[in-house]
Amino acid sequence: MLGEDVSVRSSARPLAALVAALTLTAGLFAAGAPASARTGEAAPMAEASDVSIAADTYDWKNVRIDGGGFVPGIVFNRSEKNLAYARTDIGGAYRWDQTGKQWTPLLDWVDWDHWGWSGVVSLASDSADPDKVYAAVGTYTNSWDPANGAVLRSSDRGATWKASTLPFKLGGNMPGRGMGERLAVDPNKNTVLYLGAPSGKGLWRSTDSGVTWSQVTAFPNPGNYAQDPTDTSGYGNDNQGIVWVTFDERTGGAGSATQDIYVGVADKENTVYRSTDGGATWSRIAGQPTGYLAHKGVLDSDNGYLYLTLSDTGGPYDGGKGRIWRYTTATGEWKDVSPVAEADTYYGFSGLSVDRQQPGTLMATAYSSWWPDTQIFRSTDSGATWTQAWDYSGYPNRTNRYTQDVSSVPWLTWGANPAPPETTPKLGWMTEALEIDPFDSNRMMYGTGATVYGTENLKNWDAGSQFRITPMVKGLEETAVNDLASPPSGAPLLSALGDIGGFRHTGLDAVPSMMFTSPNLTSTTSLDFAESSPGTVVRVGSADAAPHIGFSTDNGANWFQGSEPSGVTGGGTVAAAADGSGFVWSPEGVGVQHTTGYGSSWSASTGIPAGATVESDRKNPKKFYGYKSGTLYLSTDGGATFTAKASSGLPTEGNVRFKAVPGIEGDVWLAGGSTTGAYGLWHSTDSGATFTKLSGVEQADSVGFGKAAAGASYQTLFVTAKIGGVRGVFRSTDAGTGWTRINDDAHQWGWIGASITGDPRVYGRVYVSTNGRGIMYGDSSDSDGGGTDPGTDPGTDPGNPPGDAACSVTYDVTNQWSGGFQADVTFTNTGDTALDGWRLGWTFPDGQKVTQMWNATSTQDGAKVTAANVSWNGKVAAGASAGFGLTGTLSGGNGRPAAFTMDDEVCTVG
């Protein structure tokens, strides 16, 4: 039996408690004292250094793009209206917010060490208890992901989570990830769950609501299909395993386990199995179709039909042939109910849903119909006849049963102007998820490789009029970010993204009108602007053919294609001279190159190895830097020649990123390394001739600069790093002497090492890259730039706050469900002196009980609650703020506390 249990949450909690919790056993995290107290762990002790850490309260949001990645799964709860979830392959899970018609992220708490848990291979919403939701997480089944997979469980709709780690890996970003759902809750006995595993690990079952798991040894077939058996990386040659589980709820009763269970297997000759005795024994269903994999298996319980969508491959990109079959559970009859002849398919079928309000109505998708468009099929007679979303009306013209409006996400047109029968926007591609709302026959959502589309007048299809498709993706941000730049004028942010190129963000809370075009790069790997002439911008990236580089003279609003040296195969990195007079490019396929003007011709740089990362000095237009394998290279002639400079003690392995400080010649910061060698943050003030390692920064992965604090002469420094034993996003206003952690454990976003930059125009604002959760930006509560309070070393007794401390408090309920709620509390020190430790008190008006608190410790006596600082956020400068969060239980109302006190002094309530 598997029983390791980890308490995790989508709200702030000290990171050290999360890491320490990995050694704990199931059941330890019952409601009661805060997690940090229950683990017996104090706050992390700082390693010996001269660094101090303070904490600042930041407001975090996504820079809006809306979508940008593959959504392989959408799950509606079958017993509560408007409760729906979406899963992504690398960007976590989301819950639908009907009020705002947007998605709420649920896994932003996933930390650096468990970045793989941002990949969600399956979701299950409990229809017997809608507060419960489960997620099977893990990104890769091979060595790329060092951690095993886990099943996360929540009893408050994803506000907080607990995790049971598995003895194998899961693959949210592996081939076959659009099949499913692999995770399922027994609708009659909701303590029973099943999980289909990859890699030959078979079928697994939990009988205690996902706390512990054991293999179903009676299940006879762990699967045998791999996308590419010749691949030796562990990616294409992995057995895709058990791919879906479906219950026939008619064969059980409330509290009694469902007897008939259907399981899909990645085996072209044996793709469907059934148990008729609650999972005790299993057998292959006779007469089933062969030569295909069943991507989905959905049961229409009103008429007893099990439908299969089949493809000759596992997807999500491939698939050349497909079928749809129907199984009559009462008689055992199999019937091919495909909408087109097998000879006419050039795609596989995957997306599949039945209308729970209209028995006999079902829909399916041709997920791998890349050209001219995906196809969606609909039947109202259990598959006997079908209609499709579009038809040819004399090739190449087509007639659509739908209209499509992407004005809310205009870049979905890709700026394209295709010839018929292609259209823009497309109906989609990689359409492996399609769900009809079980409570509303008019609403349907489906996932694509770039967004979630949906309709709210689907029944128009049957009435012979057009139904309307729009993006239903607001709040779901799924881009992988490679590079970020914030110029001193023009747009506040320029982004380099995987899969959709990148954007000029003229407003952070508005969806950009179009990605970068001319050229269209599938993934932008690097971009830069000229520091003293920020209208000049350059970007490089991946493309099917040349060019791999583009230039702009108007701050990225318009672009023109550059020429490139022979042999370029990928973008690499690029740097612009401080005045825009020239560029240095280190592309894939050839060595480092330099040019003057806008790249009409390129010349090979000398003295620097191929594949080096290149950056420019932000003051001297003739200076460029390169780095590879532990050596910093310097050019003083515009990139024509380089000379090896510092190498002693610098990292020779791992990811290394470095940048020069704007306005100061020769001032360079370097972050990177690996746990098996040098790892940290280094600073040079002599153009890389020498570097000094910051002793207090244990690890660092990216570095950037922003507007200086009030009274400071040096730009604000931002890093993603491990400082004082804590992983996070840090800020320094004194060139790295003191550090402030500016994220919290609710906002970690897995792996965030690719890029970070401050905003040169807004003090405290920072932009952080994620690998699947888009671009995050944070604004400080210390908006006046009053400098950095050095805070207290972690582990130091914060002592007592000074007397007569003035304060103001805001208390916001951020989430509420049946029997429970979540709240955020922020207090501001309105006095003239810093607080050296704090203790905030209040009385709940309706008998609420605190169950967990993070970024503070709590005690409760009846309705009276006291929250005290933890060791790393005890100091709060005059005018600064601190915040914490909590979850609690309800027995009646949920009124706000009328008053708050700081050591018996009454605070102002906001």
Side-chain angles (χ1 to χ4, degrees):
M1 295 287 287
L2 178 71
E4 184 181 38
D5 184 50
V6 184
S7 183
V8 288
R9 59 185 312 105
S10 59
S11 298
R13 186 164 67 86
L15 179 143
L18 175 59
V19 176
L22 296 177
T23 63
L24 298 175
T25 55
L28 182 58
F29 285 95
S36 58
R38 280 180 275 130
T39 64
E41 294 286 329
M45 294 295 292
E47 295 187 5
S49 72
D50 58 357
V51 73
S52 296
I53 305 172
D56 188 12
T57 301
Y58 258 61
D59 180 28
W60 291 99
K61 296 179 181 178
N62 271 108
V63 175
R64 278 193 68 187
I65 295 169
D66 285 15
F70 181 33
V71 180
I74 298 169
V75 175
F76 278 89
N77 186 275
R78 291 274 299 278
S79 65
E80 182 175 318
K81 188 175 182 179
N82 294 323
L83 180 56
Y85 298 88
R87 63 179 172 94
T88 69
D89 48 7
I90 62 172
Y94 294 80
R95 183 184 63 246
W96 179 250
D97 170 20
Q98 178 64 20
T99 301
K101 292 194 173 181
Q102 61 188 356
W103 297 94
T104 300
L106 302 177
L107 300 184
D108 284 359
W109 51 265
V110 171
D111 69 348
W112 179 277
D113 291 330
H114 297 87
W115 61 264
W117 289 7
S118 294
V120 185
V121 73
S122 192
L123 275 173
S125 180
D126 187 344
S127 293
D129 183 351
D131 286 339
K132 292 183 177 180
V133 62
Y134 301 85
V137 298
T139 300
Y140 298 105
T141 61
N142 62 358
S143 61
W144 301 344
D145 188 342
N148 280 352
V151 175
L152 309 180
R153 64 190 189 277
S154 173
S155 58
D156 51 19
R157 305 175 186 226
T160 62
W161 296 87
K162 293 182 179 180
S164 291
T165 54
L166 299 165
F168 50 84
K169 297 180 180 183
L170 293 175
N173 201 33
M174 293 291 288
R177 59 191 179 274
M179 297 193 281
E181 294 289 325
R182 296 172 182 258
L183 183 63
V185 184
D186 189 323
N188 292 302
K189 189 174 183 178
N190 67 341
T191 57
V192 175
L193 291 87
Y194 284 86
L195 171 66
S199 312
K201 302 301 183 182
L203 182 66
W204 288 69
R205 177 169 51 210
S206 172
T207 59
D208 54 9
S209 299
V211 178
T212 61
W213 291 83
S214 59
Q215 189 172 14
V216 181
T217 55
F219 194 82
N221 187 353
N224 60 16
Y225 174 80
Q227 181 191 70
D228 180 7
T230 66
D231 178 18
T232 59
S233 71
Y235 184 76
N237 61 336
D238 186 53
N239 175 4
Q240 294 180 15
I242 312 298
V243 296
W244 52 263
V245 179
T246 295
F247 293 92
D248 187 344
E249 63 259 39
R250 304 170 301 170
T251 62
S256 176
T258 301
Q259 295 302 292
D260 286 10
I261 310 167
Y262 298 86
V263 171
V265 180
D267 178 344
K268 289 187 177 183
E269 302 306 310
N270 312 280
T271 196
V272 188
Y273 286 77
R274 178 178 60 181
S275 174
T276 58
D277 53 12
T281 61
W282 301 82
S283 61
R284 177 188 186 274
I285 302 179
Q288 66 182 264
T290 58
Y292 291 97
L293 303 175
H295 277 224
K296 301 282 195 298
V298 175
L299 184 75
D300 188 339
S301 57
D302 284 294
N303 54 34
Y305 289 141
L306 174 72
Y307 297 98
L308 305 181
T309 44
L310 300 121
S311 174
D312 59 352
T313 68
Y317 309 107
D318 54 1
K321 290 293 179 183
R323 309 305 294 147
I324 301 176
W325 280 68
R326 185 184 74 199
Y327 177 68
T328 306
T329 58
T331 65
E333 177 192 19
W334 284 98
K335 185 176 180 62
D336 186 342
V337 294
S338 302
V340 295
E342 184 176 35
D344 292 334
T345 61
Y346 54 92
Y347 46 76
F349 293 97
S350 182
L352 175 63
S353 184
V354 300
D355 188 335
R356 304 294 176 182
Q357 299 295 315
Q358 298 184 167
T361 295
L362 67 150
M363 299 179 70
T365 66
Y367 78 94
S368 55
S369 178
W370 286 83
W371 190 93
D373 207 344
T374 200
Q375 186 62 274
I376 301 176
F377 301 90
R378 181 173 171 89
S379 173
T380 58
D381 53 13
S382 302
T385 61
W386 297 82
T387 51
Q388 51 196 49
W390 59 270
D391 296 279
Y392 285 114
S393 55
Y395 186 86
N397 299 314
R398 46 189 266 194
T399 300
N400 298 332
R401 293 180 183 271
Y402 62 91
T403 62
Q404 193 169 7
D405 178 3
V406 298
S407 57
S408 63
V409 190
W411 60 262
L412 283 169
T413 66
W414 251 258
N417 186 28
E422 282 193 281
T423 63
T424 186
K426 280 195 168 187
L427 194 59
W429 55 90
M430 295 165 61
T431 50
E432 295 228 53
L434 181 148
E435 292 295 328
I436 303 170
D437 186 334
F439 292 91
D440 184 357
S441 298
N442 258 321
R443 181 160 69 172
M444 176 268 290
M445 297 181 183
Y446 68 96
T448 78
T451 192
V452 177
Y453 280 123
T455 181
E456 293 183 326
N457 61 346
L458 179 60
K459 292 172 72 173
N460 283 9
W461 183 316
D462 303 328
S465 57
Q466 289 182 310
F467 64 99
R468 181 172 179 263
I469 293 175
T470 60
M472 290 185 175
V473 74
K474 182 180 179 182
L476 194 157
E477 298 285 349
E478 204 194 343
T479 49
V481 185
N482 294 324
D483 201 3
L484 297 169
S486 184
S489 62
L493 183 68
L494 306 171
S495 62
L497 307 177
D499 295 335
I500 61 172
F503 294 91
R504 181 177 188 257
H505 302 271
T506 56
L508 305 181
D509 299 320
V511 177
S513 60
M514 190 54 55
M515 69 273 289
F516 298 138
T517 58
S518 301
N520 289 78
L521 302 177
T522 53
S523 292
T524 301
T525 56
S526 176
L527 58 79
D528 195 17
F529 64 89
E531 188 66 41
S532 61
S533 180
T536 301
V537 187
V538 61
R539 59 185 168 92
V540 295
S542 305
D544 293 333
H548 294 82
I549 188 168
F551 296 93
S552 172
T553 58
D554 57 7
N555 192 241
N558 297 281
W559 294 83
F560 56 93
Q561 300 177 353
S563 66
E564 63 184 44
S566 176
V568 171
T569 60
T573 58
V574 69
D579 62 357
S581 59
F583 303 88
V584 172
W585 184 16
S586 178
E588 296 177 17
V590 296
V592 177
Q593 307 282 320
H594 71 282
T595 187
T596 56
Y598 294 102
S600 58
S601 63
W602 293 88
S603 301
S605 302
T606 61
I608 185 171
T613 300
V614 294
E615 294 283 355
S616 63
D617 191 88
R618 311 310 284 183
K619 180 70 172 178
N620 185 339
K622 292 297 183 181
K623 276 190 178 181
F624 289 84
Y625 306 95
Y627 189 87
K628 187 176 182 181
S629 302
T631 300
L632 191 287
Y633 298 85
L634 172 66
S635 172
T636 58
D637 56 8
T641 60
F642 282 82
T643 303
K645 292 294 183 179
S647 60
S648 177
L650 296 177
T652 59
E653 57 186 9
N655 294 315
V656 176
R657 295 163 180 82
F658 67 99
K659 291 181 180 179
V661 177
I664 307 176
E665 182 176 348
D667 195 314
V668 180
W669 290 82
L670 184 146
S674 73
T675 56
T676 58
Y679 201 173
L681 182 67
W682 289 261
H683 185 205
S684 173
T685 58
D686 54 11
S687 301
T690 60
F691 276 89
T692 301
K693 188 176 189 297
L694 274 71
S695 61
V697 181
E698 298 131 70
Q699 300 174 3
D701 294 274
S702 59
V703 59
F705 316 102
K707 183 178 180 180
S713 59
Y714 198 81
Q715 289 214 357
T716 300
L717 187 65
F718 295 96
V719 292
T720 56
K722 183 178 181 181
I723 299 176
V726 177
R727 258 281 174 193
V729 183
F730 293 87
R731 182 190 73 207
S732 175
T733 59
D734 52 12
T737 300
W739 293 97
T740 298
R741 187 188 182 200
I742 59 175
N743 72 320
D744 54 39
D745 290 354
H747 304 93
Q748 301 193 79
W749 316 294
W751 191 80
I752 53 173
S755 183
I756 190 171
T757 184
D759 191 310
R761 289 170 270 186
V762 181
Y763 168 75
R765 178 171 292 174
V766 63
Y767 305 97
V768 180
S769 70
T770 76
N771 187 42
R773 267 289 284 129
I775 307 165
M776 306 305 305
Y777 79 96
D779 281 322
S780 172
S781 61
D782 187 12
S783 58
D784 64 354
T788 300
D789 173 25
T792 180
D793 289 331
T796 301
D797 181 2
N800 296 314
D804 300 323
C807 54
S808 65
V809 177
T810 60
Y811 177 94
D812 295 313
V813 175
T814 58
N815 198 1
Q816 186 168 322
W817 55 93
S818 177
F821 71 101
Q822 180 176 333
D824 286 343
V825 183
T826 302
F827 76 86
T828 301
N829 177 9
T830 59
D832 297 327
T833 58
L835 295 178
D836 189 8
W838 48 265
R839 190 176 302 273
L840 192 69
W842 69 89
T843 299
F844 276 129
D846 296 315
Q848 301 99 315
K849 298 290 185 183
V850 174
T851 55
Q852 285 189 319
M853 188 173 287
W854 51 96
N855 291 345
T857 61
S858 72
T859 57
Q860 184 165 1
D861 182 8
K864 294 182 179 180
V865 180
T866 301
N869 65 279
V870 291
S871 60
W872 56 270
N873 66 356
K875 287 203 173 185
V876 183
S881 300
F884 57 92
L886 61 93
T887 56
T889 58
L890 301 172
S891 57
N894 191 23
R896 292 161 51 95
F900 293 84
T901 60
M902 182 75 72
D903 268 11
D904 299 324
E905 292 290 323
V906 178
C907 301
T908 302
V909 180

